[in-house]
Amino acid sequence: MSYQQPQPGQPQQPGWGQQPPQPPKKGKTGKIIGFGCLGIVGLFVLIAAVASGGDDSPESSTAPPAATQGDTKKDEPKGGEPAKKAPVTVTAKQVDFRKSVLAQGDDYTSVQVTITNNSKNDIDTNPLYVTITDTDGSKHTAELGVDEDQLDTVTLAPGENVTGTITGKGIFDAKYVTYTDGLLGDSVRGDVT
């Protein structure tokens, strides 16, 4: 048996007992990249959903502005039936900033907020659930731990309320605060007095 050299340009045949070369294995890199991109798109959709639930819609101002509990005649309609209370009421007033050990300087504005649960279900409160909007229309998120009287993170049973401060970075005139029941719940606005 004679062995012949393959012609140039022809693939070489495996010899007796030799296995043909295995095709290269496909990696999982494509799948990983695809799921990563899908995750990023999902994150953007979630952010857009949260952002579109802003407090500029008519549904967000369901709470009456800074009503006091002693005004029961004002809440009654002319028909003699008591008015239906909003599930959550928010009252607010601008107060002096009380610097804690975590504050860096005195460049903060504090608003004392009272959140009252008028619903039949428990609600959660958290400083991160409250934003301050100033007279220029700018929103300010809570700076955590900088004011000594910060709003506590608690669960309010029906009929309970909690009072504490929400503090924003900078010096500004607060116009209203917005409480959102959880990060994606309904928003309730209270004017700052």
Side-chain angles (χ1 to χ4, degrees):
M1 175 179 210
S2 68
Y3 181 73
Q4 294 182 347
Q5 290 283 341
Q7 296 293 328
Q10 290 183 347
Q12 191 172 9
Q13 297 292 328
W16 182 261
Q18 291 181 351
Q19 295 288 330
Q22 296 289 327
K25 292 185 178 183
K26 292 183 180 179
K28 296 182 180 181
T29 306
K31 288 182 182 178
I32 292 172
I33 291 172
F35 283 124
C37 291
L38 182 63
I40 291 171
V41 170
L43 179 64
F44 282 123
V45 169
L46 179 63
I47 290 171
V50 170
S52 69
D55 58 1
D56 294 330
S57 65
E59 298 85 21
S60 67
S61 58
T62 58
T68 60
Q69 293 178 356
D71 294 339
T72 55
K73 288 185 180 180
K74 184 175 157 184
D75 291 341
E76 290 183 15
K78 293 181 181 179
E81 294 180 22
K84 183 178 178 183
K85 280 189 174 182
V88 177
T89 55
V90 176
T91 58
K93 67 178 180 176
Q94 195 153 342
V95 294
D96 292 333
F97 169 64
R98 294 188 45 176
K99 183 177 181 177
S100 75
V101 295
L102 297 176
Q104 297 177 359
D106 295 323
D107 194 24
Y108 296 96
T109 301
S110 291
V111 177
Q112 184 181 50
V113 177
T114 301
I115 300 171
T116 304
N117 182 4
N118 300 321
S119 72
K120 295 180 181 179
N121 301 318
D122 291 350
I123 64 168
D124 294 319
T125 64
N126 185 321
L128 297 175
Y129 296 171
V130 183
T131 59
I132 305 169
T133 303
D134 65 23
T135 53
D136 294 333
S138 299
K139 287 186 182 183
H140 303 269
T141 57
E143 294 288 323
L144 298 179
V146 296
D147 192 299
E148 290 181 356
D149 299 324
Q150 177 176 293
L151 181 72
D152 290 328
T153 300
V154 296
T155 299
L156 295 177
E160 292 183 332
N161 66 28
V162 64
T163 300
T165 60
I166 300 298
T167 303
K169 183 77 172 155
I171 304 296
F172 55 88
D173 291 323
K175 184 175 182 180
Y176 61 87
V177 296
T178 304
Y179 162 76
T180 304
D181 186 12
L183 293 175
L184 299 174
D186 294 329
S187 297
V188 179
R189 183 183 294 181
D191 291 335
V192 176
T193 57

